[in-house]
């Protein structure tokens, strides 16, 4: 069996105005609310995962609380827990979970202090058909690293990722999935969030979603365009409390035969930022919020 995760199952964020954020993710971003508990609100996409986003109240300010990875079985959860503890990371023992959806898993902090978790056996939904203009799941999370080489090495050695592309400042990490990448890393001064990407069923849905965002006062911060590494269509936005989010589609599907490509392979002609060459540059706001969200401190334990 492969000792690795199967991608990002969910992301949890702390918001100073959780009800406002919840209304946005339901009515504008087009997720479906599945549960409320102790002031927190949980949302699913059209895919089977019980929830892909959790919004927690945080009167003192915004943060990203944790990223949760999916595992195929308890055996893999235990094997990954062994690797994480051998890497010297603080971690709780694998245990039955009391959080929405239940399941089994453990939480931990990585070498740069990000709160992460690995889980399995969640009470997922039986329906998983695509719905036009509604996100399926988390496509990937792009994180900023104070030491990108150290971060990449941890994700590869402890969580079983493989680096499949290096384009400009970004490194693309692939796990036990057919999706090109589930984690993207880049070098910055501090370990923060760059953005969270939500997968739409097709490029038409990305365009319709972008139009709906504009209609509701959320302009496109970069896009619509098509990336090189991953080949995905993209449109980036600042959500409530300027949380950096992306609609994406057409993610490249790969297997173990996919060959690594370095920065020279992904160079564009001067002035071009994507395959199509028609999207304008990032807004100044997008450049600012790409390094704004810190991980909440000492919230790595799972209930």
């Amino acid at each position: 069996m492969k000792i690795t995760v199967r991608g990002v199952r969910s992301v949890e964020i702390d918001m100073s105005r959780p009800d406002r954020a919840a209304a946005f993710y339901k009515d504008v971003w087009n997720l479906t609310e599945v549960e409320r508990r102790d002031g927190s609100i949980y949302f699913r996409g059209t895919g089977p995962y019980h929830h892909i986003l959790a919004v927690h109240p945080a009167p003192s300010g915004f943060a990203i609380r944790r990223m949760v990875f999916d595992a195929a079985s308890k055996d893999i959860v235990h094997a990954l827990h062994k690797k994480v503890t051998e890497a010297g990371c603080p971690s709780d023992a694998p245990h039955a979970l009391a959080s929405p959806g239940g399941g089994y898993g453990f939480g931990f902090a990585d070498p740069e202090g990000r709160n992460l978790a690995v889980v399995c056996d969640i009470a997922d939904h039986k329906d998983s058909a695509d719905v036009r203009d509604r996100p399926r799941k988390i496509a990937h999370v792009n994180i900023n690293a104070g030491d990108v080489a150290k971060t990449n090495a941890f994700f590869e050695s402890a969580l079983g990722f493989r680096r499949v592309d290096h384009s400009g400042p970004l490194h693309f990490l692939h796990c036990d999935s057919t999706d090109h990448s589930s984690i993207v890393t880049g070098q910055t001064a501090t370990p923060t969030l760059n953005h969270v990407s939500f997968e739409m069923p097709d490029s038409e849905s990305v365009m319709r979603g972008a139009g709906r965002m504009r209609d509701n006062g959320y302009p496109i911060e970069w896009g619509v365009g098509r990336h090189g590494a991953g080949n995905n269509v993209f449109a980036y936005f600042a959500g409530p409390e300027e949380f950096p989010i992306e609609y994406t589609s057409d993610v490249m599907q790969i297997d173990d035969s996919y060959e690594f490509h370095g920065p020279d392979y992904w160079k564009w002609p001067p002035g071009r930022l994507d395959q199509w060459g028609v999207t304008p540059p990032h807004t100044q706001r997008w450049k600012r919020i790409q390094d704004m969200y810190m991980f909440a401190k000492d919230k790595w334990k799972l209930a």
Side-chain angles (χ1 to χ4, degrees), residues 102-122:
Y104 186 83
F106 67 96
F108 63 100
D110 78 0
E112 289 204 318
R114 303 176 190 88
N115 306 315
L116 309 176
V118 176
V119 302
C120 69
D121 294 347
I122 307 296

Side-chain angles (χ1 to χ4, degrees), residues 197-257:
S197 178
F198 293 77
E199 184 184 39
M200 295 289 245
D202 49 40
S203 57
E204 172 79 6
S205 296
V206 171
M207 295 298 289
R208 289 182 178 276
R212 185 179 60 258
M213 287 288 284
R214 291 180 63 183
D215 288 345
N216 284 275
Y218 296 91
I220 299 172
E221 305 295 342
W222 185 33
V224 176
R226 185 182 286 277
H227 286 311
N231 196 47
N232 48 312
V233 174
F234 65 85
Y236 295 90
F237 308 89
E241 301 185 47
E242 295 191 303
F243 191 73
I245 47 180
E246 175 192 14
Y247 276 145
T248 194
S249 72
D250 303 357
V251 177
M252 179 186 290
Q253 301 296 290
I254 67 171
D255 58 24
D256 291 342
S257 67

Side-chain angles (χ1 to χ4, degrees), residues 10-14 40-43 51-56:
S10 63
V11 171
E12 302 183 29
I13 57 179
D14 292 345
S40 299
I41 308 102
Y42 298 81
F43 297 89
H51 62 272
I52 63 173
L53 179 70
V55 178
H56 302 293

Side-chain angles (χ1 to χ4, degrees), residues 5-6 22 52 64 95 103 114 156 164 190-191 246 252:
V5 297
R6 298 193 294 189
I52 63 173
I64 176 167
H95 60 283
R114 303 176 190 88
E156 292 176 80
V164 292
T190 54
E246 175 192 14
M252 179 186 290

Side-chain angles (χ1 to χ4, degrees), residues 161-175:
F161 281 84
R162 177 171 72 97
R163 195 167 65 112
V164 292
D165 274 308
H166 180 190
S167 175
L170 300 178
H171 304 259
F172 297 81
L173 307 181
H174 171 78
C175 60

Side-chain angles (χ1 to χ4, degrees), residues 53-182:
L53 179 70
V55 178
H56 302 293
S60 60
F62 57 74
I64 176 167
R65 180 171 293 194
R66 69 168 54 87
M67 299 188 299
V68 180
F69 295 101
D70 185 58
S73 67
K74 288 183 178 179
D75 286 344
I76 291 178
V77 167
H78 281 274
L80 290 172
H81 181 260
K82 184 174 184 292
K83 287 179 174 289
V84 166
T85 54
E86 287 175 347
C89 298
S91 168
D92 49 21
H95 60 283
L97 305 177
S99 53
Y104 186 83
F106 67 96
F108 63 100
D110 78 0
E112 289 204 318
R114 303 176 190 88
N115 306 315
L116 309 176
V118 176
V119 302
C120 69
D121 294 347
I122 307 296
D124 286 336
H125 305 281
K126 294 182 179 180
D127 59 311
S128 59
D130 284 341
V131 179
R132 189 182 73 169
D133 198 14
R134 287 188 175 273
R136 292 170 172 164
K137 63 179 183 178
I138 302 293
H140 63 261
V141 178
N142 188 333
I143 56 176
N144 304 312
D147 186 335
V148 74
K150 181 179 180 180
T151 293
N152 289 347
F154 173 78
F155 274 87
E156 292 176 80
S157 63
L159 297 180
F161 281 84
R162 177 171 72 97
R163 195 167 65 112
V164 292
D165 274 308
H166 180 190
S167 175
L170 300 178
H171 304 259
F172 297 81
L173 307 181
H174 171 78
C175 60
D176 189 16
S177 164
T178 58
D179 290 342
H180 172 268
S181 50
S182 299

Side-chain angles (χ1 to χ4, degrees), residues 14-27:
D14 292 345
M15 296 273 111
S16 63
R17 297 178 61 188
D19 287 336
R20 175 178 178 268
F24 165 82
Y25 286 109
K26 175 179 178 290
D27 298 329

